[in-house]
Amino acid sequence: MGKRWCAALLCAVLACSMTGCGDFLDREWYEVKDHSPTYYEGEGRDVLRADTYQDLVNNILILVGNHAESGTIWLYYAQEGLDAAEAAEKASREVEKDTPMGSYAVSYIQYTVDDTARNYSEIVVTIGYKRTEKEIINMVHATNVSALHDLLSDAAAEGKTSLVVQLSAFEGQSYQVRQAVAQVQAAVGGSGWTTNFYPNADNPGVVEIIMR
């Protein structure tokens, strides 16, 4: 598990170095910012550190991105004076309901909080999924809606029955998404295609197209 987490963090760091930041963990797009203090602790390098509420949200999303069934986060008290139980509850619900990746992939999030350490709370998160690890890995990433037409055309030509795209610059363009889907569906003679937006059509970051 530690190796997979480290790989995820490395990808996030590389994305930040090349583009300024990635689309994964922002407050709106859930990016890992360059100044984020998130990193691994513990003797086995298998514990995520959080100094702020946003770090806590980001850490849970890292676990989701790795399809991890559980993970440990040390939430330190220094910067925001967070109540660990309240922060864990709020962050878990935010990831599950309000983030594109969480609303697409997560069925539930549970947690326990241990406050016995002197300067941090240990939060152990348990995650249930409604998507398989393969479905998350097969998710396609695009920088904008204009790329969706070509991605969908290629998927249809390959005989795929679904396409899931994570968009980094969506800006509420659900109409354009539906328009692109309708154009490709007509071009290939398809029917009954459905489009799902996560977390919702007003503020989606993940689009799922089911092709009949």
Side-chain angles (χ1 to χ4, degrees):
M1 179 62 70
K3 291 182 179 178
R4 294 179 59 210
W5 288 358
C6 290
L9 284 179
L10 178 59
C11 289
V13 171
L14 290 174
C16 285
S17 65
M18 291 186 292
T19 64
C21 50
D23 67 311
F24 189 47
L25 303 171
D26 185 39
R27 295 293 295 145
E28 180 177 356
W29 292 107
Y30 298 89
E31 300 166 339
V32 175
K33 301 299 186 180
D34 289 338
H35 64 271
S36 173
T38 299
Y39 57 84
Y40 289 97
E41 294 197 339
E43 292 182 359
R45 303 293 290 170
D46 56 356
V47 176
L48 282 163
R49 174 189 177 114
D51 290 294
T52 66
Y53 172 78
Q54 182 59 56
D55 291 341
L56 184 57
V57 172
N58 291 354
N59 289 345
I60 297 174
L61 280 168
I62 288 173
L63 297 174
V64 172
N66 282 288
H67 209 268
E69 295 182 358
S70 65
T72 301
I73 303 167
W74 288 353
L75 177 63
Y76 286 79
Y77 304 135
Q79 294 190 27
E80 294 184 346
L82 297 173
D83 178 88
E86 291 180 3
E89 172 67 21
K90 183 180 177 182
S92 296
R93 299 293 80 81
E94 178 175 343
V95 169
E96 183 180 338
K97 303 295 184 182
D98 299 333
T99 69
M101 181 64 76
S103 60
Y104 169 72
V106 172
S107 176
Y108 65 84
I109 300 176
Q110 300 173 340
Y111 62 87
T112 61
V113 178
D114 184 350
D115 290 323
T116 57
R118 180 172 297 179
N119 62 333
Y120 66 85
S121 291
E122 181 176 278
I123 301 172
V124 178
V125 178
T126 303
I127 306 171
Y129 294 91
K130 56 187 175 184
R131 309 290 180 177
T132 66
E133 184 175 12
K134 184 177 180 180
E135 286 177 305
I136 294 178
I137 292 173
N138 288 340
M139 183 182 294
V140 179
H141 301 268
T143 56
N144 53 58
V145 175
S146 62
L148 183 61
H149 187 283
D150 291 341
L151 290 170
L152 193 55
S153 297
D154 291 343
E158 294 170 7
K160 294 181 178 180
T161 58
S162 66
L163 176 70
V164 181
V165 182
Q166 185 174 30
L167 297 166
S168 59
F170 189 84
E171 298 179 356
Q173 297 171 312
S174 55
Y175 172 77
Q176 287 86 338
V177 169
R178 291 191 176 97
Q179 193 173 42
V181 172
Q183 289 173 351
V184 176
Q185 177 179 287
V188 301
S191 63
W193 290 13
T194 58
T195 304
N196 300 314
F197 298 94
Y198 301 91
N200 54 62
D202 294 328
N203 186 33
V206 172
V207 178
E208 176 188 41
I209 302 99
I210 308 297
M211 298 174 281
R212 306 297 182 186

